[in-house]
Amino acid sequence: MLLLFVLFSGAVMAAFVKLGIPPGVAYTLFLLALFGSFINIPIAEERTYESVLTIKEVRFMGIPYPVPSFDWAERRVVVAVNVGGALVPSGIALYELLRMLYLGQFALLFNTLFAVLIAALFSHAVARPVPRLGIAMPMFFPPLLAVLLGWAFGGSNPNAVAYVSGTLGVLIGADLMNWNRIKHLGAPMVSIGGAGTFDGVFLAGIIAVLLV
């Protein structure tokens, strides 16, 4: 277990350094993402009404008879944002976008945003709602797509394009574009960037950068 943790942390650190993040900051971000995966911050509450079958007892001439009845039951779904799977990766992606803007790399910035759009559409297409859990998607699809987008649109900086498209693409396509389906999943809480999409968001950017 310790060896796996060392290998995993080393891979994450290597990816962050390839993005131009200083080692000290990279290690701090790794710890925030790791421990932040257990932290969900509520941001909204969705309500829906579902038809529930109940059995009522009716007596006729002293004899009880079960009679099915349909009632409306209110369900509340708390929508939260996962710190490690959403806030930390999106913060790094925003940093990369702002750095492109600051350096005047407008062509690269446009290509990155276009890559995010493509990743969001594909992520939305493969994401599937899982009852009582949330939105899930194949683990290896986002990083492989991000690698292809990094090669196609990255130019002199494919690492940044791969990371930004791999993280924001999943967050937008898998989670945000499925917002209206969240309240019908039957789960008491759905976490953006958590549960089934944590590996898709956080690991997508890391694996994509290492592969590029």
Side-chain angles (χ1 to χ4, degrees):
M1 183 65 69
L2 179 61
L3 178 60
L4 291 177
F5 176 79
V6 172
L7 292 176
F8 178 67
S9 61
V12 174
M13 288 286 294
F16 285 163
V17 171
K18 288 181 68 175
L19 289 172
I21 300 175
V25 178
Y27 189 71
T28 302
L29 292 173
F30 166 70
L31 293 179
L32 285 176
L34 181 63
F35 293 105
S37 63
F38 300 99
I39 302 174
N40 294 296
I41 302 176
I43 59 172
E45 182 180 86
E46 294 287 343
R47 298 184 181 184
T48 184
Y49 294 90
E50 297 181 356
S51 179
V52 179
L53 174 64
T54 58
I55 303 298
K56 295 183 178 180
E57 185 180 278
V58 177
R59 290 183 173 271
F60 179 72
M61 299 183 64
I63 302 176
Y65 294 92
V67 178
S69 175
F70 289 93
D71 296 322
W72 290 101
E74 181 187 64
R75 288 187 179 273
R76 297 185 180 185
V77 180
V78 176
V79 183
V81 174
N82 187 268
V83 174
L87 294 184
V88 173
S90 59
I92 298 173
L94 180 61
Y95 165 76
E96 293 294 329
L97 293 174
L98 292 176
R99 184 163 63 173
M100 294 176 192
L101 182 63
Y102 176 76
L103 296 176
Q105 299 173 333
F106 301 112
L108 181 61
L109 178 61
F110 175 81
N111 287 345
T112 304
L113 295 177
F114 186 66
V116 170
L117 175 62
I118 296 176
L121 294 176
F122 274 95
S123 297
H124 181 68
V126 302
R128 293 291 180 267
V130 179
R132 304 191 181 281
L133 175 63
I135 305 298
M137 63 187 309
M139 177 178 178
F140 293 105
F141 177 82
L144 293 178
L145 177 61
V147 168
L148 295 177
L149 293 173
W151 286 339
F153 301 101
S156 60
N157 195 355
N159 292 323
V161 175
Y163 184 85
V164 175
S165 62
T167 55
L168 295 185
V170 175
L171 279 174
I172 296 173
D175 284 325
L176 297 184
M177 293 177 67
N178 282 300
W179 186 281
N180 291 332
R181 306 168 73 179
I182 288 177
K183 60 184 179 181
H184 300 293
L185 295 177
M189 185 182 75
V190 177
S191 177
I192 297 176
T197 54
F198 176 76
D199 50 6
V201 178
F202 181 74
L203 295 181
I206 299 301
I207 297 175
V209 171
L210 293 177
L211 291 178
V212 171

